[in-house]
Amino acid sequence: MSEDLKLSILNKLAADGSIADTKTAFANVSSETILGALKSLESQEKVTYETITSEVWSIEPEGQDQLKNGSYEARIYDAVPAGEQGISIADLNAKFGKMANLGMGKGFQNKWIKKNGANVVRLVDSIVDQVKADLQTIVATNGNPSAEVIKNLKKRA
């Protein structure tokens, strides 16, 4: 246990009277190290503390890609030109690889695109990329929009 950390905790308490959040007050120290110092100080009857539990959500590399470039279905939608001709499924497969099938499947499910013979055409003039919006919310808040959103995002993995 770092004596320096224990001393820093005691100095902070002496200056401020309390520490609302040690994670913020000692941002460069791991939670486990802080907890160890607090337990040591508590055993010496120098402090009392209350543990605050929080969830922090992070985005995997696949999610980072979708955060930056849009969901697979939005990328497929963007690749389909407006009009009755659309784009061939072969061209989408060549451009997007395995992502093409995933994106087309979700695009069909969302009723953004449809098959027209060997081509894919748009059904709507514009879309909202909800997956990208949900990922942006997770990044902005380090939390989740809702349990249902998290469930849906996990299904995509």
Side-chain angles (χ1 to χ4, degrees):
M1 204 63 46
S2 169
E3 293 301 315
D4 290 341
L5 177 58
K6 290 194 277 187
L7 185 58
S8 294
I9 291 170
L10 291 173
N11 287 337
K12 179 93 171 135
L13 286 169
D16 298 344
S18 68
I19 302 172
D21 182 359
T22 54
K23 185 177 175 183
T24 304
F26 303 101
N28 58 340
V29 181
S30 75
S31 297
E32 293 82 14
T33 302
I34 294 169
L35 182 60
L38 289 171
K39 284 183 177 185
S40 176
L41 290 168
E42 184 180 49
S43 73
Q44 298 167 10
E45 297 182 358
K46 293 183 179 179
V47 300
T48 59
Y49 69 91
E50 181 180 317
T51 302
I52 301 170
T53 305
S54 63
E55 283 186 341
V56 177
W57 292 85
S58 62
I59 299 176
E60 299 291 323
E62 182 180 6
Q64 292 288 350
D65 176 57
Q66 292 186 50
L67 178 63
K68 180 180 177 185
N69 301 307
S71 67
Y72 298 152
E73 55 268 32
R75 287 188 239 179
I76 294 296
Y77 175 85
D78 289 341
V80 176
E84 303 217 3
Q85 177 131 11
I87 188 172
S88 74
I89 294 172
D91 286 346
L92 287 173
N93 285 327
K95 184 173 181 177
F96 294 104
K98 73 174 189 163
M99 181 185 29
N101 286 334
L102 296 169
M104 282 189 287
K106 285 291 189 179
F108 296 146
Q109 185 179 355
N110 293 340
K111 298 188 182 346
W112 294 349
I113 56 175
K114 73 171 185 171
K115 276 185 175 180
N116 188 7
N119 288 358
V120 174
V121 296
R122 286 184 178 187
L123 287 175
V124 295
D125 294 331
S126 65
I127 62 166
V128 173
D129 189 352
Q130 192 59 49
V131 170
K132 185 175 181 177
D134 291 341
L135 291 170
Q136 288 169 330
T137 300
I138 291 168
V139 168
T141 64
N142 282 333
N144 64 40
S146 72
E148 186 67 24
V149 167
I150 295 300
K151 178 180 160 191
N152 290 336
L153 288 173
K154 284 182 176 180
K155 278 189 206 176
R156 299 175 67 86

